[in-house]
């Protein structure tokens, strides 16, 4: 292969000395740079060293890409194709992947490039580097999706789904799974469109039955894709590097379809397996999906608590932890009520939650509640492991001034907690309680009264 793509011009022959470059129909110029590259690589000597030539050419391409010189990169790229004829089999086998990565980058950004040029290049590269067929097909489909060509992307993925080369390797299997996931997303997109169209039709209309059947057919295809996919061990929702999409949607969309057709048992089984099957890696989102599903089903409080308890062990700062606290607080079990306090302290251990006024309100209220219920030991246990670092982390003079300036309601709640845990001598409490604010004057009196009553510093004195 000596050209960039079928749509790009071929190099001039030696019988045509009158020109040094040609122009494609799209306006992209690709001169034949072999002699130039050899000259640079050998400092002007006439040595025709194949390895030096290709190595120099690759360096020029990389430099042009870094400088966003797309036309120059395309010109050097045209000469770099000779790597496919390298006598070194290792370099020759690695060449298609390198050419694809460089070439696709150039064609994506080149101002004179277009979809047809990119498609031609992708199709040729699939056939040259068979081991890269799946990778190229997936990235080609994403390129088409970026340009809004959903049908073309779907056809591309369908062809890739059925492709096999020799014995299926583990790397091929991962790519096939990703391709099935994206195909499922496209099928879900089509199903959603048909569902929207159906909602606009009269149920007595003949077109309604046709549209309903079409929607059902698409839901069946999508379900089959997703159902097979979620049986494969793995975390199906992290950001997948190099593939630009969040595959978490796979599970969510599958559940939506099952729920739409009333298959609650099927949806529950899929989510439960995803959350608890030991074949799958530990995954916070699996428990979030299951919890949200059970919540919609109005499952018993005990069931909801059991799901969130595992999430708490994995991500103690998750936003659902405040909801978890409320569920625990309402429970009649003492172990749950004790855990409710631990959860609040756990949330506020994280820097990202320090300004969460709801968490501070809950902690201020719950500390008073458990102290009124003679559970001083619970508060002391949580505080003892934090008293060496929470004062500077939450209750410094700096934070008192900053919080009062930015959010007086937050400052009030934090001052109440600080007073309960550290006593009225705490710098944070002293600063906030001395502020003369006309609207909050009554609350400040109440703040001082509550700290005197509930502080765990020298209780009973």
């Amino acid at each position: 292969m000596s050209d960039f793509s079928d749509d790009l011009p071929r190099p001039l022959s030696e019988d045509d000395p009158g020109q040094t470059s040609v122009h494609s129909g799209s306006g992209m110029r690709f001169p034949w740079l072999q002699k130039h590259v050899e000259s640079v690589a050998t400092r002007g000597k006439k040595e025709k060293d194949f390895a030096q030539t290709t190595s120099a050419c690759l360096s020029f391409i990389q430099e042009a890409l870094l400088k966003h010189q797309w036309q120059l990169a395309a010109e050097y790229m045209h000469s770099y194709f000779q790597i496919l004829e390298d006598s070194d089999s290792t370099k020759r086998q690695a060449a298609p992947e390198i050419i694809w990565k460089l070439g696709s980058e150039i064609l994506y950004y080149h101002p004179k490039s277009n979809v047809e040029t990119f498609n031609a290049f992708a199709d040729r590269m699939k056939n040259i580097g068979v081991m890269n067929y799946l990778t190229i097909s997936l990235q080609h489909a994403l390129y088409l999706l970026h340009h809004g060509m959903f049908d073309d992307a779907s056809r591309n993925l369908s062809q890739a789904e059925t492709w096999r080369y020799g014995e299926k390797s583990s790397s091929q299997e991962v790519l096939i799974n990703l391709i099935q996931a994206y195909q499922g997303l496209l099928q879900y997109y089509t199903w959603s469109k048909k569902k929207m169209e159906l909602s606009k039709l009269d149920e007595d209309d003949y077109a309604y039955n046709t549209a309903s059947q079409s929607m059902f057919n698409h839901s069946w295809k999508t379900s089959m894709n997703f159902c097979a996919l979620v049986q494969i061990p793995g975390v199906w929702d992290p950001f997948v590097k190099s593939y630009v999409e969040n595959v978490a949607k796979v599970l969510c969309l599958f559940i939506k379809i099952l729920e739409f057709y009333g298959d609650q048992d099927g949806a529950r089984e899929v989510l439960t397996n995803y959350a608890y099957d030991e074949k799958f890696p530990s995954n916070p989102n699996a428990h979030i999906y299951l919890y949200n599903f059970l919540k919609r089903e109005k499952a018993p409080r005990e069931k909801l608590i059991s799901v969130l308890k595992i999430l708490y062990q994995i991500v103690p700062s998750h936003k659902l932890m405040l909801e978890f606290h409320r569920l625990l607080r309402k429970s009649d079990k003492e172990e749950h009520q004790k855990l409710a306090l631990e959860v609040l302290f756990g949330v506020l251990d994280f820097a990202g939650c320090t300004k969460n006024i709801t968490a501070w309100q809950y902690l201020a209220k719950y500390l008073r509640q458990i102290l009124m219920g003679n559970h001083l030991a619970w508060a002391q246990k949580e505080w003892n492991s934090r008293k060496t670092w929470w004062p500077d982390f939450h209750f410094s003079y700096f934070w008192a001034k900053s919080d009062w300036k930015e959010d007086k309601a937050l400052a009030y709640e934090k001052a109440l907690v600080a007073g309960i845990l550290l006593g009225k001598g705490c710098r944070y409490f002293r600063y906030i309680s001395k502020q003369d604010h006309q609207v909050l004057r009554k609350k400040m009196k109440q703040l001082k009264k509550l700290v005197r009553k509930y502080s765990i510093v020298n209780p009973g004195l």
Side-chain angles (χ1 to χ4, degrees):
M1 178 178 180
S2 60
D3 333 283
F4 205 174
S5 79
D6 277 332
D7 287 351
L8 304 180
R10 287 172 166 70
L12 295 174
S13 67
E14 293 181 3
D15 297 330
D16 189 7
Q19 293 185 8
T20 57
S21 66
V22 292
H23 293 263
S24 72
S26 63
M28 295 174 69
R29 185 171 62 86
F30 297 93
W32 186 242
L33 301 177
Q34 179 68 35
K35 292 181 181 178
H36 171 69
V37 174
E38 286 178 358
S39 176
V40 173
T42 58
R43 290 188 176 89
K45 296 178 182 178
K46 294 295 183 179
E47 299 176 19
K48 293 188 176 181
D49 188 302
F50 194 90
Q52 277 188 312
T53 302
T54 52
S55 177
C57 196
L58 181 58
S59 296
F60 296 150
I61 293 169
Q62 290 170 333
E63 185 178 353
L65 288 176
L66 285 171
K67 295 178 179 178
H68 293 184
Q69 296 171 335
W70 311 115
Q71 173 61 30
L72 185 60
E75 293 172 355
Y76 285 126
M77 191 71 205
H78 185 73
S79 292
Y80 186 68
F81 286 127
Q82 65 183 315
I83 190 70
L84 294 168
E85 300 170 9
D86 199 307
S87 57
D88 186 327
S89 61
T90 304
K91 290 182 179 179
R92 195 168 60 247
Q93 288 173 6
E97 182 179 1
I98 296 172
I99 291 173
W100 164 250
K101 288 181 177 179
L102 295 174
S104 59
E105 185 82 358
I106 293 167
L107 288 176
Y108 184 84
Y109 289 106
H110 198 293
K112 299 292 180 63
S113 182
N114 52 43
V115 174
E116 290 73 21
T117 303
F118 192 97
N119 287 347
F121 177 63
D123 289 339
R124 293 188 71 178
M125 291 311 302
K126 288 174 195 175
N127 294 322
I128 289 175
V130 288
M131 294 305 294
N132 299 306
Y133 184 93
L134 293 174
T135 301
I136 294 172
S137 295
L138 182 54
Q139 292 176 353
H140 186 195
L142 293 175
Y143 172 85
L144 294 169
L145 285 175
H146 177 73
H147 285 79
M149 303 171 71
F150 292 91
D151 292 339
D152 290 327
S154 183
R155 278 193 294 272
N156 198 296
L157 292 173
S158 294
Q159 291 172 1
E161 265 188 294
T162 58
W163 183 88
R164 297 292 182 274
Y165 178 76
E167 293 186 14
K168 187 165 65 173
S169 66
S170 58
S171 60
Q172 286 182 25
E173 195 166 350
V174 169
L175 286 168
I176 289 169
N177 292 339
L178 277 173
I179 285 166
Q180 289 174 339
Y182 280 101
Q183 183 70 305
L185 288 176
L186 286 176
Q187 288 167 349
Y188 177 81
Y189 170 77
T190 305
W191 177 79
S192 297
K193 279 178 62 179
K194 293 186 177 297
K195 179 183 167 189
M196 185 68 68
E197 292 168 4
L198 191 67
S199 66
K200 297 176 182 178
L201 295 174
D202 191 328
E203 289 190 23
D204 297 326
D205 194 333
Y206 172 76
Y208 182 89
N209 291 330
T210 306
S212 179
Q213 184 60 44
S214 176
M215 186 181 78
F216 179 79
N217 291 339
H218 274 86
S219 73
W220 181 82
K221 289 179 185 177
T222 309
S223 295
M224 290 301 99
N225 237 327
F226 287 169
C227 190
L229 196 63
V230 296
Q231 300 303 317
I232 302 166
V235 178
W236 280 105
D237 52 308
F239 186 82
V240 183
K241 290 180 180 177
S242 304
Y243 295 114
V244 214
E245 272 286 341
N246 192 330
V247 190
K249 295 174 184 175
V250 170
L251 192 66
C252 295
L253 304 184
F254 183 34
I255 296 305
K256 282 184 181 179
I257 291 173
L258 292 175
E259 287 189 276
F260 182 82
Y261 288 105
D263 189 1
Q264 305 299 109
D265 293 337
R268 190 185 305 104
E269 182 181 356
V270 169
L271 288 168
T272 302
N273 288 340
Y274 191 51
Y276 297 117
D277 195 324
E278 292 182 356
K279 292 185 297 184
F280 290 87
S282 177
N283 178 15
N285 288 331
H287 303 284
I288 295 168
Y289 300 150
L290 179 58
Y291 172 76
N292 288 332
F293 174 79
L294 293 173
K295 188 178 174 183
R296 288 195 298 272
E297 275 203 316
K298 301 189 185 305
R301 186 189 304 142
E302 285 289 325
K303 185 67 177 174
L304 297 175
I305 287 174
S306 68
V307 176
L308 288 182
K309 190 173 183 179
I310 298 175
L311 179 63
Y312 168 64
Q313 293 166 356
I314 304 172
V315 191
S317 61
H318 194 277
K319 61 183 181 180
L320 280 175
M321 290 305 102
L322 296 182
E323 200 165 319
F324 183 37
H325 164 78
R326 292 197 299 270
L327 289 169
L328 292 167
R329 197 174 63 201
K330 293 174 183 176
S331 173
D332 295 329
K333 294 183 178 179
E334 186 174 289
E335 63 177 294
H336 286 167
Q337 294 171 0
K338 189 176 180 180
L339 181 58
L341 181 64
E342 179 188 317
V343 167
L344 288 178
F345 272 100
V347 168
L348 292 167
D349 280 343
F350 291 85
C353 302
T354 56
K355 302 285 187 181
N356 191 324
I357 187 172
T358 305
W360 287 109
Q361 286 172 337
Y362 283 0
L363 183 56
K365 180 179 179 181
Y366 200 57
L367 279 171
R368 288 178 312 204
Q369 183 180 323
I370 64 169
L371 291 170
M372 286 174 63
N374 296 319
H375 294 299
L376 173 64
W378 295 2
Q380 288 176 329
K381 180 187 174 186
E382 296 303 325
W383 180 239
N384 284 340
S385 62
R386 294 172 172 86
K387 63 184 178 182
T388 58
W389 62 279
W390 261 43
D392 289 332
F393 186 61
H394 286 305
F395 304 132
S396 67
Y397 181 74
F398 168 81
W399 283 122
K401 288 181 68 176
S402 175
D403 291 341
W404 181 256
K405 183 179 179 181
E406 293 178 11
D407 188 341
K408 291 177 174 53
L410 171 67
Y412 175 84
E413 298 297 339
K414 283 184 68 175
L416 179 51
V417 173
I420 292 173
L421 297 175
L422 289 163
K424 60 183 181 180
C426 167
R427 288 172 295 176
Y428 194 102
F429 173 78
R430 283 208 317 264
Y431 180 86
I432 301 300
S433 62
K434 288 179 180 178
Q435 299 306 307
D436 186 19
H437 193 279
Q438 188 172 358
V439 176
L440 296 176
R441 195 170 293 161
K442 191 174 181 180
K443 288 194 76 173
M444 289 303 175
K445 289 182 180 179
Q446 184 184 24
L447 173 67
K448 294 172 185 177
K449 183 179 178 181
L450 289 171
V451 168
R452 280 197 300 271
K453 183 176 182 181
Y454 293 110
S455 178
I456 65 173
V457 179
N458 300 322
L461 293 181

Short mmCIF file of all heavy atoms in Angstrom, two decimals, residues 27-44:
data_model
loop_
_atom_site.label_atom_id
_atom_site.label_comp_id
_atom_site.label_asym_id
_atom_site.label_seq_id
_atom_site.Cartn_x
_atom_site.Cartn_y
_atom_site.Cartn_z
N GLY A 27 -8.59 18.63 -2.31
CA GLY A 27 -7.69 19.75 -2.06
C GLY A 27 -6.52 19.40 -1.17
O GLY A 27 -5.72 20.25 -0.82
N MET A 28 -6.33 18.11 -0.83
CA MET A 28 -5.21 17.68 0.01
C MET A 28 -4.02 17.36 -0.89
O MET A 28 -4.15 16.66 -1.88
CB MET A 28 -5.60 16.44 0.83
CG MET A 28 -6.70 16.70 1.84
SD MET A 28 -7.25 15.21 2.65
CE MET A 28 -5.83 14.79 3.62
N ARG A 29 -2.82 17.88 -0.55
CA ARG A 29 -1.62 17.69 -1.37
C ARG A 29 -0.73 16.62 -0.74
O ARG A 29 -0.47 16.63 0.45
CB ARG A 29 -0.85 19.01 -1.45
CG ARG A 29 0.36 18.97 -2.37
CD ARG A 29 0.91 20.38 -2.54
NE ARG A 29 1.36 20.92 -1.26
CZ ARG A 29 2.58 20.73 -0.75
NH1 ARG A 29 3.46 19.99 -1.40
NH2 ARG A 29 2.91 21.28 0.39
N PHE A 30 -0.25 15.65 -1.56
CA PHE A 30 0.56 14.56 -1.05
C PHE A 30 1.76 14.30 -1.97
O PHE A 30 1.73 13.42 -2.81
CB PHE A 30 -0.27 13.27 -0.93
CG PHE A 30 -1.38 13.39 0.05
CD1 PHE A 30 -2.64 13.77 -0.36
CD2 PHE A 30 -1.15 13.18 1.39
CE1 PHE A 30 -3.66 13.90 0.54
CE2 PHE A 30 -2.18 13.29 2.30
CZ PHE A 30 -3.43 13.67 1.87
N PRO A 31 2.84 15.10 -1.89
CA PRO A 31 4.01 14.87 -2.73
C PRO A 31 4.74 13.60 -2.33
O PRO A 31 4.62 13.14 -1.20
CB PRO A 31 4.87 16.10 -2.46
CG PRO A 31 4.49 16.54 -1.10
CD PRO A 31 3.03 16.22 -0.97
N TRP A 32 5.51 13.06 -3.26
CA TRP A 32 6.30 11.87 -2.97
C TRP A 32 7.61 12.31 -2.33
O TRP A 32 8.44 12.97 -2.96
CB TRP A 32 6.54 11.11 -4.27
CG TRP A 32 7.22 9.80 -4.08
CD1 TRP A 32 8.41 9.42 -4.56
CD2 TRP A 32 6.72 8.68 -3.35
NE1 TRP A 32 8.70 8.14 -4.20
CE2 TRP A 32 7.66 7.66 -3.44
CE3 TRP A 32 5.54 8.45 -2.61
CZ2 TRP A 32 7.50 6.42 -2.86
CZ3 TRP A 32 5.37 7.22 -2.02
CH2 TRP A 32 6.33 6.22 -2.16
N LEU A 33 7.81 11.97 -1.06
CA LEU A 33 8.92 12.54 -0.29
C LEU A 33 10.06 11.56 -0.04
O LEU A 33 10.90 11.79 0.81
CB LEU A 33 8.39 13.02 1.07
CG LEU A 33 7.30 14.07 1.00
CD1 LEU A 33 6.83 14.39 2.40
CD2 LEU A 33 7.80 15.31 0.31
N GLN A 34 10.08 10.44 -0.78
CA GLN A 34 11.07 9.41 -0.49
C GLN A 34 12.51 9.96 -0.49
O GLN A 34 13.26 9.78 0.46
CB GLN A 34 10.95 8.29 -1.52
CG GLN A 34 11.96 7.16 -1.34
CD GLN A 34 11.70 6.38 -0.07
OE1 GLN A 34 10.55 6.22 0.32
NE2 GLN A 34 12.75 5.96 0.61
N LYS A 35 12.89 10.66 -1.57
CA LYS A 35 14.26 11.15 -1.67
C LYS A 35 14.56 12.17 -0.58
O LYS A 35 15.65 12.22 -0.02
CB LYS A 35 14.50 11.75 -3.06
CG LYS A 35 14.48 10.71 -4.17
CD LYS A 35 14.75 11.35 -5.52
CE LYS A 35 14.69 10.30 -6.61
NZ LYS A 35 14.92 10.91 -7.95
N HIS A 36 13.57 13.01 -0.28
CA HIS A 36 13.77 14.03 0.75
C HIS A 36 14.02 13.40 2.12
O HIS A 36 14.94 13.79 2.84
CB HIS A 36 12.54 14.94 0.82
CG HIS A 36 12.55 15.87 2.00
ND1 HIS A 36 13.44 16.92 2.12
CD2 HIS A 36 11.79 15.88 3.12
CE1 HIS A 36 13.21 17.55 3.25
NE2 HIS A 36 12.21 16.93 3.88
N VAL A 37 13.20 12.38 2.44
CA VAL A 37 13.33 11.72 3.74
C VAL A 37 14.67 11.02 3.85
O VAL A 37 15.35 11.08 4.87
CB VAL A 37 12.17 10.72 3.95
CG1 VAL A 37 12.38 9.94 5.23
CG2 VAL A 37 10.85 11.47 4.02
N GLU A 38 15.07 10.31 2.78
CA GLU A 38 16.36 9.61 2.79
C GLU A 38 17.50 10.61 2.98
O GLU A 38 18.44 10.36 3.72
CB GLU A 38 16.56 8.86 1.47
CG GLU A 38 15.69 7.61 1.37
CD GLU A 38 15.88 6.90 0.04
OE1 GLU A 38 16.66 7.41 -0.79
OE2 GLU A 38 15.26 5.86 -0.15
N SER A 39 17.38 11.75 2.34
CA SER A 39 18.43 12.76 2.41
C SER A 39 18.58 13.29 3.83
O SER A 39 19.68 13.42 4.35
CB SER A 39 18.11 13.92 1.46
OG SER A 39 19.06 14.94 1.60
N VAL A 40 17.42 13.57 4.49
CA VAL A 40 17.45 14.06 5.87
C VAL A 40 17.99 12.99 6.80
O VAL A 40 18.80 13.25 7.68
CB VAL A 40 16.04 14.52 6.31
CG1 VAL A 40 16.05 14.86 7.79
CG2 VAL A 40 15.59 15.70 5.48
N ALA A 41 17.52 11.76 6.59
CA ALA A 41 17.90 10.66 7.49
C ALA A 41 19.38 10.36 7.43
O ALA A 41 19.98 9.89 8.40
CB ALA A 41 17.11 9.41 7.15
N THR A 42 20.01 10.61 6.29
CA THR A 42 21.42 10.25 6.13
C THR A 42 22.31 11.47 5.99
O THR A 42 23.40 11.40 5.46
CB THR A 42 21.59 9.34 4.90
OG1 THR A 42 21.10 10.06 3.76
CG2 THR A 42 20.81 8.05 5.04
N ARG A 43 21.77 12.64 6.42
CA ARG A 43 22.52 13.89 6.36
C ARG A 43 23.08 14.15 4.96
O ARG A 43 24.24 14.50 4.78
CB ARG A 43 23.64 13.88 7.40
CG ARG A 43 23.13 13.96 8.84
CD ARG A 43 24.30 14.16 9.78
NE ARG A 43 23.81 14.32 11.15
CZ ARG A 43 23.61 13.32 11.98
NH1 ARG A 43 23.84 12.09 11.59
NH2 ARG A 43 23.18 13.55 13.20
N GLY A 44 22.25 13.93 3.93
CA GLY A 44 22.62 14.27 2.57
C GLY A 44 23.30 13.16 1.81
O GLY A 44 23.50 13.27 0.61
#
